[in-house]
Amino acid sequence: MTVYEHRQTVTAAAGAASAIGLNIPGGLIRQVVIRANTDTTVFRANLTDASGLRFHDYGYHTGEINEKNMALAIAGSLAINITNPSPNDTFSLKISVQE
């Protein structure tokens, strides 16, 4: 079993931030972590594929999203988009994909 992890830090400016993950030949997303630098930051997030198709949405969250035990199929690159942060903040991201 091979697990790919992508970690990145992004700063939301003008109400949005985006990060593009590794190019995965095929696998299952097992964990997504999106953590704001400030515990009180409210934000939305979504996952999109290489063609820009949104395939997983997160509603409003405060401080952190830590979704474990996922099994979303993915092939190609993956983007995490953060929108509507209040206030603008820096976010730590982690995506784990099992091949």
Side-chain angles (χ1 to χ4, degrees), residues 5 7 17 22 26 29 34 38 52-53 58 77-78 84-85 99:
E5 278 194 358
R7 294 174 182 259
L22 301 171
I29 300 171
I34 304 170
T38 307
L53 179 65
Y58 296 99
S77 62
L78 163 74
N84 304 106
E99 186 177 46

Side-chain angles (χ1 to χ4, degrees), residues 4-6 8 18-25 27-34 46-58 70 72-81 93-98:
Y4 299 97
E5 278 194 358
H6 176 77
Q8 189 170 353
S18 185
I20 297 177
L22 301 171
N23 189 13
I24 304 296
L28 297 173
I29 300 171
R30 291 298 190 178
Q31 183 180 24
V32 173
V33 178
I34 304 170
N46 63 59
L47 304 177
T48 58
D49 66 11
S51 65
L53 179 65
R54 188 183 306 180
F55 67 90
H56 194 70
D57 282 306
Y58 296 99
M70 299 175 69
L72 291 173
I74 185 72
S77 62
L78 163 74
I80 296 178
N81 303 297
L93 310 173
K94 176 185 155 187
I95 306 167
S96 298
V97 177
Q98 177 185 357

